[in-house]
Amino acid sequence: MQELSMNLLDIAQNSVAAGSKLTEITVLIDTARRSLVLRIADCGKGMSEETLRRVTDPFYTTRTTRKVGLGLPLFREAAETAGGKMTIRSKEGVGTTVEASFELGNIDLPPLGDVPGSIVNLVQCNPELDFIFRVESDGETFCMDTREIRGILQGVPLSSPEVALFLREYLEEHTENLLKRSNLI
Amino acid sequence: MKSLEELAAIRDRMKNIVNTREADENNIRIAVGMATCGIAAGARPVLNAFTEEIARREVPHVTVTQTGCIGICQYEPVVEVFAPGKDKVTYVKMTPEKVARVVSEHILGGVPVAEYTIGAAQR
């Protein structure tokens, strides 16, 4: 993956597949502590202890169509390469939280990349599900909740290209200054 | 800066178009492969480019959505176009630059761009 925002999109797709009706995606940036945290928290079906133990093995997947599952291994690899780690908490019937930490300024830290693009992709392609997107950057916060947007749209689907285009520009404008603090050298 | 109030104006403008779009039996579905393989190969900018092109041209009867890994990871980003009454068309190794041509010739013109399809790639 060239950008961490691609990992974010990829891992959030697992939440969608797990039937999560509300998924919270958080980007935490703390430049003083040189810390970047990406968190995907869902209320999907969760994993058994057995699955949880094997889930970062690239040759383990619950899918029956193929024998590899690379999403979580790649995310863990990205975190560990950049001075951080990935943790997974999961409970069957409750949900799963995947959290990866990274050291800001680490030479092997991939760029965050197009985070708004990833969020809008998720929302647009899963218009019946809800997402909370939160950025906390050095004490400043931005938050978008699709339930609020759904209220404004009054039946116009979140999958409409025109709505997706607006959301993309809206997110870009509101998060650009917060997210660019991750480009710490 | 954009505010969510502007969304209300878009909603009012879209209401009529959207209601026909979802129910329309002529609805064309553009599905972009968004599994790990697709994302890593650059599916996200392709999906965004389709969204922009469809919105910008105000194409009424098209939905842009995602699909999983269909097993041809070496050809990602893969885009499938489902038009009613026609065979599915599979585009491979898609890029944002190829999107405008697919929209104008295939989605609007009804003629698939043969050179971008999996048939051409396998030859």
Side-chain angles (χ1 to χ4, degrees):
Chain A
M1 298 274 178
Q2 296 146 357
E3 303 174 352
L4 292 176
S5 57
M6 291 181 172
N7 295 96
L8 212 50
L9 173 59
D10 186 35
I11 303 301
Q13 299 280 11
N14 296 347
S15 300
V16 170
S20 175
K21 299 266 182 259
L22 177 66
T23 304
E24 188 164 352
I25 295 161
T26 311
V27 179
L28 302 168
I29 296 169
D30 186 335
T31 54
R33 299 174 66 183
R34 303 183 82 81
S35 158
L36 167 67
V37 173
L38 303 177
R39 186 191 302 139
I40 301 100
D42 71 45
C43 57
K45 66 182 177 185
M47 288 181 276
S48 68
E49 279 180 34
E50 168 68 9
T51 305
L52 192 54
R53 212 167 29 245
R54 302 178 64 185
V55 78
T56 56
D57 173 355
F59 298 104
Y60 178 75
T61 178
T62 53
R63 291 184 311 179
T64 51
T65 45
R66 264 167 290 291
K67 291 192 175 121
V68 292
L70 297 180
L72 285 166
L74 287 172
F75 199 33
R76 185 178 70 173
E77 180 84 9
E80 290 178 356
T81 307
K85 61 176 183 170
M86 185 186 80
T87 54
I88 309 174
R89 293 191 305 273
S90 189
K91 202 170 173 193
E92 268 181 296
V94 178
T96 299
T97 298
V98 178
E99 185 174 295
S101 61
F102 305 83
E103 182 196 357
L104 283 185
N106 188 300
I107 191 139
D108 290 315
L109 179 70
L112 261 180
D114 185 8
V115 178
S118 286
I119 302 298
V120 172
N121 271 192
L122 273 171
V123 171
Q124 175 186 10
C125 293
N126 303 284
E128 69 291 353
L129 305 178
D130 282 307
F131 296 91
I132 296 172
F133 170 49
R134 184 191 299 278
V135 182
E136 288 177 37
S137 178
D138 288 346
E140 275 183 75
T141 302
F142 170 82
C143 186
M144 179 197 78
D145 187 331
T146 53
R147 289 170 297 186
E148 185 193 353
I149 290 163
R150 204 181 290 283
I152 298 169
L153 284 174
Q154 295 175 1
V156 172
L158 284 157
S159 55
S160 316
E162 296 78 6
V163 172
L165 200 58
F166 169 85
L167 285 180
R168 185 178 164 76
E169 288 167 2
Y170 171 76
L171 290 183
E172 277 172 3
E173 285 183 11
H174 285 265
T175 61
E176 189 190 0
N177 286 330
L178 304 186
L179 293 173
K180 76 178 180 197
R181 294 192 188 121
S182 65
N183 303 328
L184 197 69
I185 296 168
Chain B
M1 277 228 218
K2 286 199 155 38
S3 76
L4 287 180
E5 274 90 76
E6 291 170 59
L7 201 53
I10 295 177
R11 171 199 66 207
D12 294 338
R13 209 175 62 237
M14 292 315 302
K15 246 180 182 160
N16 297 326
I17 300 180
V18 165
N19 286 341
T20 55
R21 188 182 270 153
E22 295 283 301
D24 193 343
E25 55 191 25
N26 296 318
N27 190 52
I28 296 175
R29 200 159 61 84
I30 302 172
V32 182
M34 295 291 276
T36 304
C37 50
I39 293 169
R44 190 189 55 194
V46 170
L47 194 145
N48 286 337
F50 270 112
T51 303
E52 261 169 56
E53 197 70 13
I54 299 297
R56 198 172 57 78
R57 296 191 176 202
E58 298 187 359
V59 186
H61 50 81
V62 175
T63 47
V64 184
T65 186
Q66 68 180 23
T67 183
C69 170
I70 61 168
I72 46 168
C73 309
Q74 69 274 30
Y75 289 115
E76 295 282 355
V78 170
V79 174
E80 296 173 300
V81 177
F82 301 88
K86 294 193 178 148
D87 287 338
K88 174 183 80 175
V89 175
T90 304
Y91 290 110
V92 298
K93 297 193 176 180
M94 280 297 288
T95 63
E97 291 72 32
K98 290 177 176 173
V99 165
R101 219 180 126 194
V102 171
V103 171
S104 54
E105 293 181 23
H106 185 178
I107 307 302
L108 292 168
V111 183
V113 185
E115 64 190 87
Y116 297 165
T117 61
I118 189 161
Q122 282 176 333
R123 222 164 267 147

